[in-house]
Amino acid sequence: MAMNCNAKDEVDGGPPCAPGGAAKTRRPDNTAFKQQRLPAWQPILTAGTVLPTFFIVGLIFIPIGIGIFVTSNNIREIEIDYTGTEPSSPCNKCLSLNVTPCFCTINFTLETAFEGNVFMYYGLSNFYQNHRRYVKSRDDSQLNGDSSALLNPSKECEPYRRNEDLPIAPCGAIANSMFNDTLELFLVSNESDPTPTPIVLKKKGIAWWTDKHVKFRNPPGGGTLEERFKGTTKPVNWLKPVYALDLDEDNNGFINEDFIVWMRTAALPTFRKLYRLIERTNDLHPTLPAGQYYLNITYNYPVHSFDGRKRMILSTISWMGGKNPFLGIAYITVGSISFLLGVVLLVINHKYRNSSNTADTMAF
Amino acid sequence: GARLGPQGGCAPPAADNRLKTTKYTLLSFVPKNLFEQFHRLANVYFVLIALLNFAPAVSAFQPGLALAPVLFILAVTALKDLWEDYSRRRSDLAINHRGCLVFSREEKKYVHRFWKEIHVGDFVHLRCNEIIPADILLLSSSDPDGLCHIETANLDGETNLKRRQVVRGFSELVSEFNPLTFTSVIECEKPNNDLSRFRGCIIHSSGQRAGLHKENLLLRGCTIRNTEAVVGIVIYAGHETKALLNNSGPRYKRSQLERQMNCDVLWCVLLLICMSLFSAVGHGLWVRRYQEKKALFDVPESDGSSLSPVTAAVYSFLTMIIVLQVLIPISLYVSIEIVKVCQVYFINQDIDLYDEETDSQLQCRALNITEDLGQIQYIFSDKTGTLTENKMVFRRCTVSGVEYSHDANAQRLARYQEADSEEEEVVPKGGSWSQRGSIGSHQSVRIVHRTQSTKSQRRSGSRAEAKRASMLSRHTAFSSPMEKDITPDPKLLEKVSECDRCLALSRHQEQPLAHLSPELSDVFDFFIALTVCNAVVVTSPDQPRQKVRVRFELKSPVKTIEDFLRRFTPSRLTSVCSSTGGLAASKPSHKSGPSFLSSLSSDSVFLKLEERLSQPTPSIASNGYSSQAESWAPEQKPEPGQERELRYEAESPDEAALVYAARAYSCALVDRLPDQVSVELPHLGRLTFELLHTLGFDSIRKRMSVVIRHPLTDEINVYTKGADSVVMDLLLPCSSEEARGRHQKKIRSKTQSFLNLYAMEGLRTLCIAKRVLSKEEYACWLQGHLEAESSLDNREELLFQSALRLETNLHLLGATGIEDRLQDGVPETISKLRQAGLQIWVLTGDKQETAVNIAHACKLLDHDEEIITLNAESPEACAALLEQCLQYAQSRAPHSTPEKTEGNVSVGLFPLCSASKSPVSGPSLSLVIDGRSLAYALEKNLEDKFLFLAKQCRSVLCCRSTPLQKSMVVKLVRSKLKAMTLAIGDGANDVSMIQVADVGVGISGQEGMQAVMASDFAVPKFRYLERLLIVHGHWCYSRLANMVLYFFYKNTMFVGLLFWFQFYCGFSASAMIDQWYLIFFNLLFSSLPQLVTGVLDKDVSADVLLLEPQLYKSGQKMEEYRPRAFWLNMVDAAFQSLICFFIPYLAYYDSDVDVFTWGTPITAIALLTFLLHLGIETKTWTWLNWMACGFSILLFLVVALIYNSACSTCYPPSNPYWTMQTLLGDPVFYLICLVTPVTALLPRLFFKALQGSLFPTQLQLGRQLAKKCHKSPKTPKDTFAQGHLPREPKTELSRGSTGNPSESPSRDCALHTSPHMQQPPACSPKASGEPSAVDTSMPLRENNLLESPGSSTAGEAVSGECPRDHQRKRLGTSQAVPLSSLFSLPNLSSLGCVSSLSLVSGLGSVLRFSRSSLHVDKRDSEFLSNPPQPEPDLSGLQRQTAEYL
């Protein structure tokens, strides 16, 4: 930091500077700030001063932890792996690629009834949705319905930008790798009745409200969705074009919620994504009563090649979301450790205090 | 050299006087500033990284965004530069538009011009008090003698007037100088920055050449004083002026901490590369694994092909470097500079560093080494003007072998000292006349000068008030009555007046001096020499003199009486003096005044005497004498006010002191012109000496001489005044055969012994000598001298030779002893600095004895210390002597060897241990070395030994050292011991040392500003060094050290989060933290709190630091920021980042969270963790800290909320639309934000608390004590003073022992002492009578030797009966040593290495024993009266802590 002006004043600072400086003394102001005497709290970290902190942390964390743990334990959750790598699995047949489409059915039993709204997830493992190049491979403008971006997607989408000279809508690797298994759930009411009751799976309401209404928009213009997507082609891996994702006009095209959910790239290689909602219909019956269920799978999505796993998860939720035993355990553990350390400090402080007191009395 | 034609202003556009200090123009700003900024490597690095981002294959962020922080930093710096440049431009403009009168050839008169319009060759007309616009050759002055006085305060801060002289050949002009008639050619050297030299010559149209010297040159920036008007020709203008060439701006040094930091930055670079490499390899493997597997998430290249693992790894490596660039803290450098600027601001603002007397505060001239102040290990101090006030007071003199002790004078001085320290009432109450009279009168005299002298006009008003305030507060530093007013020795006074009378009677005879006895003749010559042989400028309030005025008129009686009345109106007197003493104002002149004045002084013996003497004056004077002065002198002389009007301004205070002394003996210097000096004597009247030559003082010759023609004898006399060592060698060799010669020899040896006596009293000695030249000798010398003077090439060398020819065969007249009083608080400061673990070396040009005594006076040397004196005549002797001293020093060392092992353990872990150790570690060594030996010792082959010896000494004193040696010593210590050095000095001779040292401190004192200009810090007084180092140095260091550590921690921890994530994203250099947060996190969110802490945090309060100076050692040992601390910090950062990564990881494992919804809580967690961490590290919480932390969190929230709602399609790829808003509605977010920072910081807090309780550092103890004392009603002073001072010596001892690996082998040589060591007085039998502080310490140490290390012996020490026996035994042995060593002296002298000086000093210190042992006794009694309480305290603490081990 060159402050040459000062130095020059010393040499060349004649009357213009000197009288100004000489008129008043150069005595510095005696203010608390300038003299660094601001009132201050000066904690000293010793066993005695710190141990309350540890106890307080312990006393706060353990109850919170217990609360979270209980909440988390009250959540019902069932997870069904349907990758089909085990030969016994009904979906094992779908591993070979030549069988398309492949249907398989998995039976499972709910030991306890699922109360309240039940969330149906699909889970993928060893799937790196957070890979740098993968995450980048999308065009938000296109997804937002920008007509120019629709026909001329961003370079980030390469190599899934164009297919046979037609722009891909939606472009990019994320869209291209969209999860496309179909999962259906049936309740086997009783052993005698062979026709299972299908469970109503709600497709809407699974994506963020802002995603569905702000971030993702179909291309503007009148006419059908197909016309609005004219001049584009479907992603390479897709079976259907984007405007045929659903029949419901409000859940089709870019604003298809399955698509939106997929486009929100997962943070970690093992993740789940919300697939369907099972809303409770009436207060008298549980949403999913205990019993036997079928899971009908239209097996399209190949994960076996890269050692991935596919799962279907049914879970109730609480105020803090899905089942998560870790946080409760973490709180309890940290709280206990903190409490323990507090005790250690207390002991130390006790001994130390005695000695320092005697020292004090001797000194003063 | 440059040649200046007669055409002057018509010359082709020579350099004009425009000042341009700006660096940039509008056009050149951007490129030039950028170019300068890219000199900093860090900037280049960051720009390169940002540019790397533009390559699509490796880009991690949006390229524009990545540039943002770099651009921000560059822009901030550029703005700062721009602002500075603008303010420079404004001040340039102001200076350029100052006006002055320049001769215009067209209009044939002086016209008003701006400074910038002045060109080389212009004729400039300047009036009194005008500032000189350029370097101007003085051609004409309104002064009758062609003189001009300038004040150079703007240039070098020296406030005394300097005399300048009209160029030879122009001074003789009677009529006013007319530029049109100027036809000479001026040749001068090229512009250079040497203020003290100017060479050139002027060739008149007649072809005659005349030399030009610096006496002819008026320098830019100086002010014309005391002269009505001058005319000169511009020689150098604008940037070629010496003033501007000297202006190199502030200095840039790299502090030690910064060097260490840069080293750690390199570690960070290495870490960064390692992390990136690891990632790259990981990514390569990952790619190879998934490449063939047709993974859905694998994105091929745009052409559909996939990258080979190796290429992918290379790309990944580069991307990782971009992503992890945060590890190299981009904002660190900027933050450090901000913090340093604030620190400098606070140091400048410290009111305790403000000196009221001089109205100056501490100046920080170097902006970036504040933290070095906290790590100083060695202080090299000048003596004169640094430790002492450089206010010279005449104390005593010896003339012709007779000593005049000036007892009355000594008493008077003692009273001044009392008046200094005691209450103000002393002045009116004081019984004796002399005190009342002197103080009273001089205050009034002072006021007269202050209001009258033109010099003080500029600082009238509050400045004068400050002066008065300082006077009232009994600081005598600036007031000079003490110097001016000397009480003469009656015996000498009688002799002087006898001379005077005799001469007055015999003046008409052929050989007036021959009638005097040799002694009286010497006395007379002595005083003439005192008066004449100097460069004192006599000024009087009636300045400036004008050519038109006749000299006699000026001094008409009426006028002076009027003056007298005007000046001594009662109101003024009472207002200042508030005592009747003011009426005696005219007394100290010792002139017979009006009767009402003399009646007051009836009790004064010498005044009566003087009155009596002065009676016959008119009659003698009226005899008439054929000198110019004769006609008016008698009338003028008896005026009472006359003498007071004279004011002596000398370049060195010694000269003034001598002139004032001579005046006290009625031998007053009344006028000094370039060619004559007038001296006034009571009987003889005014004697005018024709001044033939003045050979000025220089530090090589160490003497000055004048050549005069004696008006009484008409002989040509040379009077020489100089350092005794030099002058004694130049005396006329006297044969011992004849009686006169023997007498002379006797006189010399007597004088020499008196000189030694003076030196032992700490007086500065000067020898006065005389030489009578025959006309032939003089003519012969003159010829050579004139040649030398006119030569252009090696004028200095020739003049030096010429001076040597003149100053030989001198006749010794006498010697003077001048006291240089210690500055206020020097002993206290030195002892504090000592306790702070600083080694203080004094490097002085003074005599050894003087230096040793001053060292004793300022407690640098203790009387119970052993002094090793090194005086060697030859390199071999020096080597032998060094060897001996080393052996002796080592023989003492084994005492500390056993402690060494213990010391390592205890001091390292909990230094408190040492507190229970002996309060005094026995007598310590001090080294005194003289200049010649120093020269030998500094040679390559001996320097290691010298240094090794010096290291074991508590203090080192180098006497008679030249400026070069001073700097060599500093350089040696700096380079060999790798120690941090500080040099402090006030004079030009200290400049080299100041520049060499790590930190240079200048004292803005008496000897001008050269030292200040070269320094990094300028303090008004030595004592301010204590606060500067111990308080501010410590704070600056600790603040900066903690901040740097925090910076490294912060960046490592943040980067750690990203690195752990790589394990879960296929090492693809993906980041879960949004790029905006990533880039601006350091810059915006987390920067303010650490800046506030870095600027304001105080680990220990100033009071405690001052009371416990040993706390300073933490900085010396770099306790706060050392490699261990750095790596511990890094490990903690890694741990914290693990916690902060894996808690969110596990909390969100297998959930539907997306990358950035997961990354944002992590960012928030990181921020909270940083703030909490900072909270743990912050020792002082002011509202600013709270505000800053609150602001950081708030800023993060606000920015996140705005950013997350601003745009739904921007910022690919993160697109965090509505993320923060969603998170704020998610309870898990809060739960994570609560548990993670707490978990991350629990260990740190726990270990901090443990360490604070079990192994507290000195600093922590200091804080605890401060708090305790704050609570308890006890005054902290007692507690600290008693409780913790004893801790210090031991630690020093153990440190000394650790640094000394070869001690134990030399244990056998324990009794092999050298003759030059004196045993400490503590061992004298007297001291053994009762237990003294020193004595008890010895058994204590022996106990330590016997018992197992680690166990505390404090308990026994306090109960202390049994150690007495030990002590007796020890005393017996130790007593034997010095005796034997003293007797072995003759044997050793055969080595030829024992000079007489060391013998003398040896005897001196032997003599001193008795005195100092008395001291010891006194101290003991004090010591016993309040029993040593603190020891149990500390030992108790230590026992406790030991238990926990």
Side-chain angles (χ1 to χ4, degrees), chain B residues 944-960:
Chain B
D944 285 332
K945 276 183 188 166
F946 168 63
L947 219 52
F948 191 66
L949 177 65
K951 240 169 68 179
Q952 315 202 356
C953 295
R954 205 164 76 105
S955 40
V956 177
L957 196 60
C958 303
C959 324
R960 294 265 187 235

Side-chain angles (χ1 to χ4, degrees), chain B residues 230-275:
Chain B
V230 296
V231 175
I233 183 168
V234 176
I235 297 284
Y236 305 124
H239 288 276
E240 293 183 343
T241 56
K242 290 182 183 287
L244 291 184
L245 286 172
N246 256 299
N247 177 16
S248 52
R251 297 204 297 154
Y252 288 99
K253 284 184 179 174
R254 197 147 289 286
S255 70
Q256 190 183 11
L257 190 135
E258 233 169 298
R259 270 174 278 162
Q260 198 186 342
M261 188 188 83
N262 285 339
C263 167
D264 287 341
V265 166
L266 288 182
W267 279 114
C268 281
V269 170
L270 194 70
L271 190 66
L272 172 75
I273 290 173
C274 286
M275 281 176 156

Side-chain angles (χ1 to χ4, degrees), chain B residues 1042-1060:
Chain B
N1042 282 316
M1043 198 182 85
V1044 169
L1045 280 179
Y1046 180 74
F1047 247 108
F1048 283 122
Y1049 148 77
K1050 201 179 80 172
N1051 294 309
T1052 313
M1053 138 90 179
F1054 199 62
V1055 160
L1057 296 175
L1058 294 170
F1059 183 67
W1060 307 131

Side-chain angles (χ1 to χ4, degrees), chain A residues 2 8 10 15 26 34-36 41-43 47 126 130 132-133 265 272 311 324 331 351 355 362, chain B residues 84 91 131 154 252 301 345 349 351 359 365 1039 1098 1147 1150 1155 1181 1231 1253 1267 1432 1440 1444:
Chain A
K8 187 184 62 208
E10 276 157 28
R26 281 191 255 166
K34 287 190 175 177
Q35 301 307 318
Q36 307 189 50
W41 173 54
Q42 294 178 297
N126 208 16
N130 55 14
R132 186 172 62 87
R133 293 155 60 89
T265 51
R272 58 175 76 169
R311 290 160 297 149
N324 189 351
Y331 264 91
K351 281 198 161 185
S355 64
M362 280 162 85
Chain B
E84 279 176 4
S91 77
I131 297 178
N154 280 337
Y252 288 99
E301 286 296 280
Y345 170 80
Q349 288 298 322
I351 204 158
D359 187 33
R365 297 173 45 80
R1039 285 168 180 173
K1098 287 191 289 190
D1150 191 21
V1155 179
W1181 286 86
L1231 287 173
S1253 292
K1267 204 155 198 177
Q1440 276 311 318
Y1444 282 107

Side-chain angles (χ1 to χ4, degrees), chain B residues 648-662:
Chain B
Y648 300 133
E649 296 203 4
E651 276 173 31
S652 87
D654 308 61
E655 291 195 327
L658 290 180
V659 176
Y660 281 116

Side-chain angles (χ1 to χ4, degrees), chain B residues 516-698:
Chain B
L516 293 173
S517 69
E519 192 198 343
L520 284 185
S521 151
D522 276 358
V523 169
F524 183 71
D525 272 329
F526 180 75
F527 279 101
I528 292 298
L530 287 192
T531 321
V532 172
C533 183
N534 51 47
V536 171
V537 178
V538 186
T539 55
S540 65
D542 299 287
Q543 298 273 18
R545 300 179 298 174
Q546 282 176 299
K547 229 167 205 171
V548 285
R549 244 195 296 175
V550 185
R551 235 177 271 172
F552 308 103
E553 200 181 288
L554 160 81
K555 285 156 187 173
S556 74
V558 186
K559 193 156 184 191
T560 32
I561 282 168
E562 267 172 8
D563 273 353
F564 174 72
L565 289 175
R566 184 158 53 83
R567 254 164 258 141
F568 290 86
T569 49
S571 65
R572 184 166 295 174
L573 283 176
T574 46
S575 71
V576 179
C577 312
S578 66
S579 86
T580 54
L583 279 177
S586 58
K587 270 300 111 188
S589 65
H590 308 302
K591 291 261 156 191
S592 63
S595 57
F596 75 92
L597 289 177
S598 56
S599 66
L600 274 172
S601 57
S602 53
D603 55 338
S604 160
V605 181
F606 49 88
L607 262 201
K608 264 192 270 174
L609 185 123
E610 191 197 330
E611 251 170 87
R612 197 195 60 213
L613 292 177
S614 60
Q615 291 308 316
T617 311
S619 61
I620 291 171
S622 62
N623 284 347
Y625 182 60
S626 60
S627 96
Q628 172 223 17
E630 180 73 348
S631 54
W632 52 271
E635 289 103 319
Q636 180 264 340
K637 185 164 44 83
E639 297 326 322
Q642 169 67 30
E643 190 136 340
R644 252 193 323 283
E645 284 175 35
L646 297 176
R647 199 164 165 237
Y648 300 133
E649 296 203 4
E651 276 173 31
S652 87
D654 308 61
E655 291 195 327
L658 290 180
V659 176
Y660 281 116
R663 192 177 72 174
Y665 284 97
S666 310
C667 182
L669 175 72
V670 289
D671 199 10
R672 169 177 288 272
L673 301 174
D675 52 351
Q676 64 180 49
V677 185
S678 301
V679 179
E680 201 162 284
L681 289 154
H683 303 277
L684 274 169
R686 182 178 273 228
L687 287 180
T688 304
F689 294 83
E690 191 185 335
L691 189 59
L692 301 171
H693 283 285
T694 307
L695 304 176
F697 183 87
D698 68 52

